[in-house]
DNA sequence: CATGAATGAGTTTTCATTCAT
DNA sequence: TATGAATGAAAACTCATTCAT
């Protein structure tokens, strides 16, 4: 068991290279082959490191997938929150959210797929579930606020969020199939449609 | 390799018992633990058969998951198609579809989860992909017809369908979490919202 | 464990059919795939009987191979002995032996291969080894007699027999390859050569 | 599937130790128990390595037996060819060949038994069959040359070789039984007898 | 620090044998 | 008496993890 594992935010660079390479390789392979379907030696090879090296950065395979989940879900949350302006046109606000989701899915398609696929895996630990919880709460609060201001359709906010996020996941899945690119036009079109899911009428 | 594998549609009953027990156990465990995360002996135990028995009914584990996928996706397609009336009020038609999706997900929650989770797994074979294709084509044709009749929003039908199905998947996922039941009220509420995704305005 | 197993020399025929079919199938498959390489269900299929039926005639797979070995080695010994005339021209006597070996190998090529291949297998039991012993003793006595009468080369009779039998086995193996038939000409030619192995000069 | 399997001709020593240990153990056990009769864990134990280690050196059990066959048959061919002088007394030449066969069988009795036993096993691959072919061609050419020079008996060279090699195999089998040692006297005696198989008269 | 060869526990799969029919 | 579906013990093989270098 490594005594002091190199942290991701190390200052010196170089130390972190391998950790990042491992995480990147894991992201790809876990999406492609699944967690249990990915052998550590293969992962090591894809990352360009020795198999043993992985265990210098992560306690074991399970820890690795949990770190991966936590980091990316956090990153997604941060991304969605960034540039969020509380007041303003409700539709513009929604479209902003939809665009940020799209940005993220377009920029990190594998990471978005990873998050989506692993959202309820048996090997996710308490920490990962907590990140998950906070993410959902954030979303729910967003909806509740908009409902409180009379902008959004009434109803259980979790349900509304499930529909909106689900719709986006459907779009992202389809674009992952390679038969659709997330162009600005597609994003506008789908965002406009999704807006109707939530808007009060 | 079994020479003549017992078929599902056996006449005499009893022949099919074990096959069905294996499929049921696999459904549960593949959802719970994933395909690679499910060991065959565990599967056998859950099905109440010997480990070797599984190989009398399925060539190997991969064949098993593919049969499972094919059968359930087919069942879903049949279910969605059943009671579909071509002409009629567009919204009523949509709500009918949404209700049938809900029926299915409520009646077979594990199967619906299974289908949703495995939709693009590396171990699905050509036959499974074909079932998948036909399913999508069916959906696309439905959307196209409605668009042609001027009832639905214009735009790529696959995108519209991705949004609608995604929204429903989001709902189903959330209900699987145990914090929401798919009551008629929830179904009406969500269906009304989802209808807005597609309706022309 | 069958109480009274049907014997090979049953009078009524019919009873023996299956036993014979099993032995025939086993002969072929043990030569083709080896003893451990032959699965009992395959054997059953080739014999045209149910897998369980094999256990009505033989205690287990090992007993089967031992019966097979014993019966065929005995049959070979009987065949070689038949028509053996103690006095007479030594070369004619040798050629008679060589011809009878050839007859046997030509008439029962699979059985001859089986005997040859299994001559020292780990799963042969005491009874089979005893048959083996008697066979060798018979051969040795034949050689010793001929030596005593001054017709054969001096030297360890087992060695002489090993050379002669080995030479024939070499021939039989080659003919099994399909590139040579054991025609009367080939038998005469090889017998003449083999005769030189043993003849006194 | 190992990516880069350690090769036999490694420079640094030590690399090859385990590979050699595995091959040696396999040689013994395949002769003793047969290919299908030898379980990999037993093989590993005999070789003093972990079961998994075998798969670092050989793709599977079948590859192992094929490498074994190829290496030893090649070694036998090389040994028989070594010190072969084209011109010279025909009998001396034959006796030289017989002695080299004996040397080999005496020095590597298990390997000789292995080669002999596996000469036509179902699991030998194309490469092994090719080695086999080349070996036979070599033998045939040797006989043909001697025939062309009028030293050997006329007749199909493959048949003559089958008789000679068969005779030697008979001798080797018998000596393996433990009741005969391949002493120089036995080799001379048997060689003299075998010479009569082929010599022209 | 980094490695990758080595491992044995655990996986998938096979198969000799049994037994209900 | 004959069967072949069912089985679990044992086979072949994989892989997460360790550790000597």
């Amino acid at each position: 068991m490594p005594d002091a594992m190199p942290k991701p935010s190390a200052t010196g660079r170089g130390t972190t290279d391998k950790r990042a390479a491992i995480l990147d390789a894991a992201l790809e392979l876990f999406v492609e082959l699944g967690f249990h379907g990915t052998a550590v030696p293969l992962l090591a090879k894809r990352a360009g490191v020795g198999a043993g090296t992985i265990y210098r950065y992560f306690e074991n395979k399970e820890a690795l997938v949990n770190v991966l989940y936590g980091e990316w879900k956090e990153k997604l949350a941060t991304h969605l929150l960034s540039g969020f302006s509380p007041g303003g046109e409700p539709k513009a606000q929604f479209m902003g959210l939809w665009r940020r989701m799209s940005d993220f899915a377009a920029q990190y398609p594998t990471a978005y797929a990873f998050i989506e696929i692993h959202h309820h895996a048996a090997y996710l630990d308490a920490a990962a579930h907590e990140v998950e919880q906070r993410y959902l709460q954030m979303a729910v609060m967003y909806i509740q606020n908009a409902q409180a201001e009379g902008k959004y359709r009434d109803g259980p906010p979790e349900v509304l969020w499930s529909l909106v996020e689900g719709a986006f996941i459907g779009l992202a899945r389809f674009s992952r199939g390679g038969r659709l690119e997330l162009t600005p036009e597609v994003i506008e079109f789908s965002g406009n449609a999704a807006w109707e899911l939530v808007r009060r009428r």
Side-chain angles (χ1 to χ4, degrees), chain A residues 49-182:
Chain A
V49 304
T53 304
I54 288 171
Y55 292 84
R56 307 206 127 271
Y57 290 93
F58 305 95
E59 198 158 335
N60 52 37
K61 203 183 165 190
E62 212 166 302
L64 169 54
V65 77
N66 276 288
V67 167
L68 205 51
Y69 191 83
E71 291 195 1
W72 277 108
K73 191 93 191 193
E74 204 85 69
K75 198 161 181 176
L76 171 58
T78 304
H79 186 88
L80 296 192
L81 238 38
S82 82
F84 186 81
S85 46
E89 241 307 272
K91 171 155 189 197
Q93 208 179 53
F94 180 87
M95 289 303 285
L97 178 66
W98 191 265
R99 276 186 216 110
R100 285 194 298 281
M101 294 200 284
S102 303
D103 285 350
F104 190 92
Q107 201 181 347
Y108 311 111
T110 315
Y112 193 77
F114 171 79
I115 291 173
E116 188 249 299
I117 287 169
H118 287 75
H119 80 120
H120 244 145
Y123 37 80
L124 290 188
D125 61 17
H129 282 122
E130 211 207 315
V131 174
E132 188 64 24
Q133 283 310 314
R134 277 193 286 125
Y135 179 84
L136 183 58
Q137 273 170 6
M138 193 187 81
V140 164
M141 276 170 53
Y142 159 69
I143 303 266
Q144 278 174 330
N145 279 344
Q147 286 177 324
E149 294 174 29
K151 302 169 192 167
Y152 275 21
R153 185 192 291 273
D154 284 331
E158 294 95 340
V159 171
L160 275 187
W161 175 249
S162 298
L163 294 170
V164 171
E165 195 188 30
F168 182 75
I169 288 175
L171 184 69
R173 275 192 182 187
F174 183 64
S175 95
R176 241 186 287 149
R179 303 213 343 253
L180 177 82
E181 222 186 323
L182 289 182

Side-chain angles (χ1 to χ4, degrees), chain A residues 1-64:
Chain A
M1 210 175 308
D3 234 336
M5 276 180 191
K7 274 291 154 66
S9 52
T11 46
R13 286 321 324 275
T15 322
T16 291
D17 275 8
K18 284 180 204 262
R19 194 187 126 103
I22 292 164
L23 286 169
D24 287 353
L27 190 69
E28 284 180 31
L29 287 170
F30 289 168
V31 167
E32 217 175 304
L33 306 174
F35 173 66
H36 288 297
T38 300
V40 174
L42 176 65
L43 177 47
K45 195 182 174 185
R46 181 81 74 105
V49 304
T53 304
I54 288 171
Y55 292 84
R56 307 206 127 271
Y57 290 93
F58 305 95
E59 198 158 335
N60 52 37
K61 203 183 165 190
E62 212 166 302
L64 169 54

Side-chain angles (χ1 to χ4, degrees), chain A residues 176-199:
Chain A
R176 241 186 287 149
R179 303 213 343 253
L180 177 82
E181 222 186 323
L182 289 182
T183 60
E185 290 75 34
V186 169
I187 295 169
E188 290 312 297
F189 169 76
S190 55
N192 278 321
W195 161 246
E196 301 292 338
L197 270 174
V198 294
R199 87 183 258 210

